[in-house]
């Protein structure tokens, strides 16, 4: 309780002020804001595990546990909530299509988390410039884009056909809510549209009769109110707590998602630093390592990979409260909710048509976030060094092109597309110095994503400055 100093009188925030990470309002107000964070993260945190065929109750439970771990590693100085990451959804869909088990899914994500943990440790030691040197915005944006657009067949072939009219209705409502609702309501549009689709499916069940139920609550009535998530029983179709298993082919599908997590974490830390007017560049490595450690912890028990949530940054921007005390409240609340099997059963019963309407928007938004990275960093596609590797990698990923290496090992889709983008870009830099120099001139302000490292000399012509948020 004594970790945070009280901001002002604990009740009011003066114009132009914000509640800093190590400050708090009165505890009743802090608890109320913490509850808003729970609502904000809730929809995405349980929707993505359902899409990946994992247990949503377990994901909610570990989102709280991993958030507490994150706050401990960053010493309470970076207010962030760790919810289920969407970066691996496409790779998991590919794993499932190849007959991969839930244990192999979580094993692959565990390796990705360990990779992010190592990256975080390196960044903490040598500074953030090492990330931008290897993964400039043109590469990061391309990987984020191919992660999203690779998912298009999942919508078209898995979710949408289950109930096309419900999917269409949910899609329209989600678009309308996202654009039309203001403030906090707009930020939880995914959750609200899911509730709408759930209710719509239930009403249609009443009209059409029990022969073709969209909402099946047979498992809800028998689930206890209090208890841990179930143990996984693949034969019985039950997914819950389980130990991870490892397959090299599946690991290679998932690891490219780490690039998206690096960009996401870096952008969030930078944004928080600029809004709160505090120096956060030195915390970048800690944040990356903490997110990686959270993913390792969650997937070790069969949970989902984690990442910092932009939804919760939106809550902070609206309330002007960046106190990590509110995140402790949110994390503890999530842990309590994660100990209710009945809540988990209700979530797991979400109709496929509802997910179809949500995923058609979400997957497209993920892809377009890659374009947002390009735009914010002024990537010049008039330069062949930027254009050609990205063009090849994105098409390979979207078309799910496969490279058969041996009878038992192949690269395809996300993994192959990422390799083409990363290796193709750096190969082009090596063989065409004039294009490399042009790219470096065009991307001087690209220190925007991770910020300048005072221990590393700036490139010729570069200006030390604050950059803009991710």
């Amino acid at each position: 309780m004594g970790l945070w100093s009280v901001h002002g009188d604990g009740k009011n925030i003066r114009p132009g002020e914000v509640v800093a990470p190590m400050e708090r309002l009165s505890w009743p107000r802090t608890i109320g804001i913490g509850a808003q964070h729970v609502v904000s993260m809730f929809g995405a945190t349980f929707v993505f595990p359902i899409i990946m065929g994992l247990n949503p109750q377990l994901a909610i439970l570990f989102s709280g546990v991993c958030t507490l771990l994150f706050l401990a590693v960053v010493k309470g100085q970076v207010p962030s909530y760790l919810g289920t990451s969407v970066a691996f959804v496409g790779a998991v869909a590919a794993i499932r299509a190849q007959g991969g088990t839930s244990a192999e899914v979580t094993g692959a994500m565990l390796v990705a988390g360990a990779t992010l943990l190592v990256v975080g440790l390196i960044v903490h030691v040598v500074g953030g410039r090492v990330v931008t040197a290897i993964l400039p915005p043109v590469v990061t944006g391309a990987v984020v884009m191919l992660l999203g657009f690779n998912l298009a067949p999942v919508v078209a072939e898995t979710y949408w056909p289950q109930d096309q009219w419900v999917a269409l209705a949910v899609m329209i409502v989600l678009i309308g809510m996202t654009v039309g609702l203001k403030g906090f309501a707009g930020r939880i549009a995914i959750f609200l549209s899911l509730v709408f689709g759930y209710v719509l499916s239930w009403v249609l069940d009443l009209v059409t009769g029990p022969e073709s139920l969209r909402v099946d609550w047979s498992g809800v009535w028998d689930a206890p109110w209090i208890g841990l998530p179930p143990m996984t029983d693949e034969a019985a179709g039950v997914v819950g707590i389980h130990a991870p298993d490892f397959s090299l082919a599946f690991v290679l599908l998932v690891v490219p998602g780490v690039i998206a997590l690096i960009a996401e974490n870096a952008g969030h830390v930078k944004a928080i630093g600029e809004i709160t007017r505090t120096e956060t560049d030195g915390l970048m490595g800690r944040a990356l390592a903490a997110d990686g450690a959270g993913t390792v912890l969650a997937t070790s028990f069969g949970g989902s990979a984690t990442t910092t949530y932009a939804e919760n940054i939106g809550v902070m921007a609206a309330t002007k409260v960046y106190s990590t005390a509110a995140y402790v409240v949110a994390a503890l609340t999530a842990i309590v909710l994660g100990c209710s099997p009945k809540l988990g059963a209700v979530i797991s019963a979400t109709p496929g048509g509802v997910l179809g309407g949500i995923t058609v928007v979400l997957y497209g938004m993920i892809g377009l976030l890659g374009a947002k990275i390009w735009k914010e960093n002024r990537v010049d596609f008039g330069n062949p060094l930027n254009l050609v590797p990205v063009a090849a990698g994105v098409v390979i990923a979207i078309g799910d092109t496969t490279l058969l290496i041996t009878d038992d090992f192949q690269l395809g889709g996300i993994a192959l597309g990422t390799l083409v983008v990363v290796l193709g870009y750096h190969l082009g830099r090596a063989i065409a110095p004039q294009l490399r120099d042009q790219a470096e001139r065009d991307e001087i302000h690209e220190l925007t994503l991770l910020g300048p490292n005072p221990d590393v000399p700036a490139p010729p012509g570069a200006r030390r400055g604050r950059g803009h948020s991710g």
Side-chain angles (χ1 to χ4, degrees), residues 133-183:
I134 299 173
L135 302 173
V138 62
V139 171
T140 304
V143 173
V144 173
M145 175 172 285
L146 65 83
L147 286 170
F149 291 158
N150 174 264
L151 293 165
V154 178
V155 177
E157 299 170 9
T158 302
Y159 294 112
W160 192 274
Q162 292 185 39
D163 197 329
Q164 61 176 1
W165 295 111
V166 168
L168 180 64
V170 172
M171 180 194 73
I172 293 172
V173 168
L174 176 55
I175 294 173
M177 286 183 173
T178 303
V179 175
L181 296 180
K182 305 300 181 183

Side-chain angles (χ1 to χ4, degrees), residues 70 77-80 128-129 132 262-285 287-288 308 313 316 322 376-377 445-454 463-470:
F70 180 92
Q77 298 179 63
V78 180
S80 286
R129 289 285 186 86
T132 49
I262 292 171
E264 196 168 39
N265 275 272
H268 290 177
V269 173
K270 188 66 178 176
I272 290 168
E274 292 196 352
I275 295 171
T276 60
R277 302 182 183 90
T278 57
E279 178 57 50
T280 56
D281 289 345
L283 297 169
M284 190 71 66
L288 292 170
T308 55
I313 292 180
M316 292 189 292
Y322 291 80
E376 291 180 346
N377 290 276
H445 86 294
E446 167 220 331
L447 305 170
T448 76
L449 183 61
L450 296 179
N453 180 357
R463 291 186 301 108
R464 293 290 188 187
R466 289 183 57 82
H468 60 78
S469 62

Side-chain angles (χ1 to χ4, degrees), residues 285-301:
R286 284 181 175 271
L288 292 170
D291 189 6
T295 293
V296 170
L297 176 61
T299 53
S300 294
F301 292 88

Side-chain angles (χ1 to χ4, degrees), residues 132-139 379 383-390 418-432 435-436 439-440 443 446:
T132 49
I134 299 173
L135 302 173
V138 62
V139 171
V379 174
N383 186 339
L385 177 62
N386 294 331
L387 177 65
V388 179
V390 168
T418 300
L419 284 174
V420 168
V421 172
V422 176
L423 298 181
Y425 176 83
H426 288 288
L427 176 63
R429 285 174 60 91
I431 64 178
L435 296 180
R436 177 194 65 203
E440 289 177 349
E443 294 170 1
E446 167 220 331

Side-chain angles (χ1 to χ4, degrees), residues 87 89-91 146-147 150 252-253 256-257 396-397 400 412-419:
V89 171
L146 65 83
L147 286 170
N150 174 264
L252 291 176
L253 281 173
I396 284 173
D400 209 19
I414 292 172
L416 182 57
T418 300
L419 284 174

Side-chain angles (χ1 to χ4, degrees), residues 94-459:
I95 292 173
R96 296 292 191 184
Q98 297 176 38
T101 65
S102 295
E104 289 171 325
V105 166
T106 51
M109 290 193 292
L110 189 153
V111 175
T115 303
L116 182 60
L117 172 58
V118 172
V119 169
L121 294 176
I122 294 172
V123 170
H124 184 66
V125 173
V126 305
R129 289 285 186 86
V130 67
V131 176
T132 49
I134 299 173
L135 302 173
V138 62
V139 171
T140 304
V143 173
V144 173
M145 175 172 285
L146 65 83
L147 286 170
F149 291 158
N150 174 264
L151 293 165
V154 178
V155 177
E157 299 170 9
T158 302
Y159 294 112
W160 192 274
Q162 292 185 39
D163 197 329
Q164 61 176 1
W165 295 111
V166 168
L168 180 64
V170 172
M171 180 194 73
I172 293 172
V173 168
L174 176 55
I175 294 173
M177 286 183 173
T178 303
V179 175
L181 296 180
K182 305 300 181 183
F184 181 69
R187 284 189 292 276
I188 61 170
I190 294 174
F191 176 73
L192 295 178
S193 62
L194 185 141
V195 172
F196 164 80
Y198 215 126
V199 173
L200 174 61
S201 298
W202 175 70
V203 171
L204 292 175
D205 283 347
L206 294 179
V207 174
T208 59
E211 291 78 14
S212 56
L213 289 178
R214 296 170 176 82
V215 181
D216 181 8
W217 270 27
S218 58
V220 174
W221 308 119
D222 298 331
W225 281 102
I226 300 175
L228 293 174
M231 301 298 293
T232 292
D233 184 350
E234 296 273 2
V238 177
V239 179
I241 300 172
H242 60 264
D245 194 7
F246 301 95
S247 164
L248 177 60
F250 295 157
V251 167
L252 291 176
L253 281 173
V254 169
V255 166
V258 172
I259 296 174
L261 295 188
I262 292 171
E264 196 168 39
N265 275 272
H268 290 177
V269 173
K270 188 66 178 176
I272 290 168
E274 292 196 352
I275 295 171
T276 60
R277 302 182 183 90
T278 57
E279 178 57 50
T280 56
D281 289 345
L283 297 169
M284 190 71 66
R286 284 181 175 271
L288 292 170
D291 189 6
T295 293
V296 170
L297 176 61
T299 53
S300 294
F301 292 88
S304 306
T306 61
T307 188
T308 55
Y309 261 29
E311 291 90 335
N312 295 90
I313 292 180
V315 173
M316 292 189 292
T319 62
K320 308 301 180 186
V321 178
Y322 291 80
S323 170
T324 50
Y327 281 95
V328 171
V329 171
L332 294 175
T333 303
I335 291 172
V336 172
L337 293 175
C339 291
S340 175
K342 191 171 289 292
L343 174 63
V346 171
I347 296 170
S348 297
T350 303
V354 178
L355 296 177
I358 292 174
T359 53
V360 73
V361 177
L362 284 180
Y363 294 169
M365 288 173 62
I366 296 168
L368 291 177
L369 284 176
K372 182 173 180 286
I373 292 173
W374 292 337
K375 178 179 180 295
E376 291 180 346
N377 290 276
R378 303 173 189 173
V379 174
D380 177 18
F381 283 107
N383 186 339
L385 177 62
N386 294 331
L387 177 65
V388 179
V390 168
V394 170
V395 169
I396 284 173
I398 294 175
D400 209 19
T401 305
T402 299
L403 180 65
L404 187 63
I405 298 176
T406 69
D407 292 339
D408 301 319
F409 181 73
Q410 63 184 27
L411 286 173
I414 292 172
L416 182 57
T418 300
L419 284 174
V420 168
V421 172
V422 176
L423 298 181
Y425 176 83
H426 288 288
L427 176 63
R429 285 174 60 91
I431 64 178
Q434 73 279 10
L435 296 180
R436 177 194 65 203
D437 295 340
Q438 177 187 338
E440 289 177 349
R441 288 193 300 271
D442 292 341
E443 294 170 1
I444 283 296
H445 86 294
E446 167 220 331
L447 305 170
T448 76
L449 183 61
L450 296 179
N453 180 357
D455 299 325
V456 179

